[in-house]
């Protein structure tokens, strides 16, 4: 197994996930840089924290933690939001970029122990920070969120969050609270945000969403009872939309888009049979 703080071999082309201030280094073609260390127009990486974070298409992936506003990588490309990688459907690449962003964030926010305040050390065989004074150990934080497409006949429940751009509608989502099973989060969030009861919730798939560290757990469910009452603290507006006449929805590559398209496909399939 690869240790996190090794470096790539000289003759080994790898993927380079360079993170600066929460943004990722992308080439002019909006791609993750790939190649041999010696051939990359990088600064001296001994000055940077370099972390092995996994494999993608039979190549190793390395995180390089750059400084905020670091200009030493400008010969490769520029630092942009990880969201740039959602455009298109390369979900593996997006997932690894999400991982690199979250590991960089973890390392920069766990330099000191939350229990005793001593300086923490990186563990050399897994991605973790350890306090040798009080033995407290931390791992990258992952915050689970449910996200659910709710159906009523040929309609879907969509809402516009306060931070969504004008005209963009999505499915409901919310954080799992401490001690809560996912089934309960689903019922609670849907009731709180839209005032309706759901039934027959089915898990579809999940997506890491590194803004800053969510894990979106996606479901499809059916409306059971209640009129829609949108929570004005969390949402701007919302309601039932005909599946054949949808407003603007989140981009392809997002789990919200996937859930909406899955629900539409299921409804279309039913009306054919
Ligand atoms: Zn400690």
């Amino acid at each position: 197994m690869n240790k996190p703080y090794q470096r790539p071999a000289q003759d080994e082309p790898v993927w380079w996930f360079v993170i600066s201030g929460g943004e990722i280094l992308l080439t002019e073609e909006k791609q993750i840089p790939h190649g041999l260390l010696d051939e990359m127009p990088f600064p001296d990486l001994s000055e940077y924290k370099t972390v092995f974070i996994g494999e993608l298409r039979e190549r190793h992936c390395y995180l390089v933690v750059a400084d905020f506003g670091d200009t030493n990588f400008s010969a490769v490309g520029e630092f942009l939001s990880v969201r740039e990688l959602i455009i298109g459907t390369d979900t593996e690449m997006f997932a690894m970029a999400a991982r690199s962003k979250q590991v960089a964030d973890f390392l920069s926010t766990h330099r000191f122990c939350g229990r005793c305040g001593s300086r923490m050390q990186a563990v050399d065989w897994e991605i973790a920070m350890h306090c040798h004074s009080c033995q407290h150990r931390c791992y990258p934080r992952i915050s689970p969120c449910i996200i659910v497409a709710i159906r009523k006949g040929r309609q879907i429940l969509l809402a516009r969050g306060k931070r969504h751009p004008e005209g963009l509608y999505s499915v409901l989502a919310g954080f799992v609270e401490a001690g809560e099973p996912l089934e309960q989060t689903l019922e609670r969030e849907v009731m709180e945000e839209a005032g309706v009861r759901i039934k027959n919730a089915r898990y579809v798939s999940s997506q890491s969403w590194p803004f800053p560290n969510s894990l979106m757990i996606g479901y499809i469910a059916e409306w059971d009872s209640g009129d829609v009452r949108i929570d004005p603290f969390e949402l701007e507006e919302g309601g039932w939309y005909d599946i054949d006449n949808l407003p603007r929805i989140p981009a392809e590559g997002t789990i919200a888009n996937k859930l909406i398209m899955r629900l539409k496909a299921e409804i279309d399939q039913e009306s054919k049979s």
Side-chain angles (χ1 to χ4, degrees):
M1 194 192 138
N2 288 288
K3 293 186 170 183
Y5 301 98
Q6 64 174 11
R7 278 170 193 269
Q10 294 249 303
D11 57 350
E12 182 197 3
V14 301
W15 296 106
W16 297 99
F17 293 80
V18 186
I19 299 285
S20 161
E23 294 188 319
I24 194 159
L25 182 69
L26 297 179
T27 65
E28 220 168 280
E29 298 78 33
K30 299 270 174 78
Q31 302 293 314
I32 297 292
H34 177 270
L36 296 171
L37 176 56
D38 286 350
E39 291 172 0
M40 301 302 294
F42 282 165
D44 178 5
L45 287 192
S46 64
E47 305 284 320
Y48 290 85
K49 187 161 279 170
T50 307
V51 189
F52 173 76
I53 52 169
E55 263 184 53
L56 188 68
R57 296 176 203 142
E58 298 175 358
R59 297 282 198 229
H60 288 170
C61 300
Y62 283 85
L63 159 67
V64 178
V65 184
D67 296 328
F68 184 75
D70 201 323
T71 54
N72 290 328
F73 294 86
S74 47
V76 184
E78 61 178 321
F79 289 102
L80 294 168
S81 169
V82 175
R83 287 172 198 270
E84 295 283 335
L85 292 168
I86 304 168
I87 300 164
T89 49
D90 193 347
T91 52
E92 282 183 327
M93 189 63 85
F94 176 69
M96 191 60 81
R99 176 167 166 74
S100 69
K101 178 178 185 293
Q102 287 176 85
V103 171
D105 184 60
F106 166 70
L107 294 174
S108 67
T109 56
H110 289 76
R111 294 180 301 139
F112 295 94
C113 176
R115 185 191 274 155
C116 78
S118 303
R119 190 170 275 280
M120 294 186 104
Q121 308 289 332
V123 177
D124 67 0
W125 56 275
E126 60 178 357
I127 293 178
M129 296 293 278
H130 187 82
C131 173
H132 291 281
S133 299
C134 76
Q135 310 308 318
H136 182 47
R137 185 171 289 200
C138 295
Y139 295 88
R141 183 165 74 177
I142 299 165
S143 304
C145 278
I146 60 89
I147 178 165
V148 57
I150 303 164
R151 169 188 178 181
K152 183 183 182 187
R154 292 186 61 83
Q155 294 180 311
I156 180 170
L157 182 60
L158 298 175
R160 188 161 78 79
K162 295 226 180 241
R163 287 179 301 168
H164 280 156
E166 188 72 34
L168 181 75
Y169 289 77
S170 189
V171 293
L172 301 182
F175 285 104
V176 179
E177 291 190 354
E180 200 176 47
L182 297 175
E183 294 78 4
Q184 197 177 322
T185 314
L186 275 169
E187 285 182 19
R188 178 182 55 75
E189 276 293 336
V190 172
M191 180 53 76
E192 282 176 8
E193 292 193 353
V196 298
R197 275 186 197 291
I198 52 172
K199 62 183 178 185
N200 301 331
R202 281 178 288 132
Y203 171 73
V204 176
S205 67
S206 63
Q207 183 176 46
S208 173
W209 193 248
F211 310 103
N213 48 39
S214 298
L215 172 65
M216 308 304 293
I217 305 161
Y219 290 84
I220 284 177
E222 291 168 36
W223 173 82
D224 181 46
S225 61
D227 294 330
V228 173
R229 277 182 293 102
I230 292 296
D231 173 13
F233 290 103
E234 296 215 26
L235 299 168
E236 206 66 56
E237 53 181 325
W240 296 108
Y241 287 83
D242 191 294
I243 200 74
D244 294 315
N245 191 18
L246 293 173
R248 187 152 74 89
I249 60 170
E252 193 180 348
T254 60
I255 190 164
N257 182 286
K258 181 174 178 175
L259 293 172
I260 295 166
M261 288 300 128
R262 173 74 70 95
L263 194 55
K264 180 170 164 51
E266 287 184 10
I267 292 172
D268 289 346
Q269 191 60 37
E270 269 177 29
S271 54
K272 270 185 215 152
S273 58

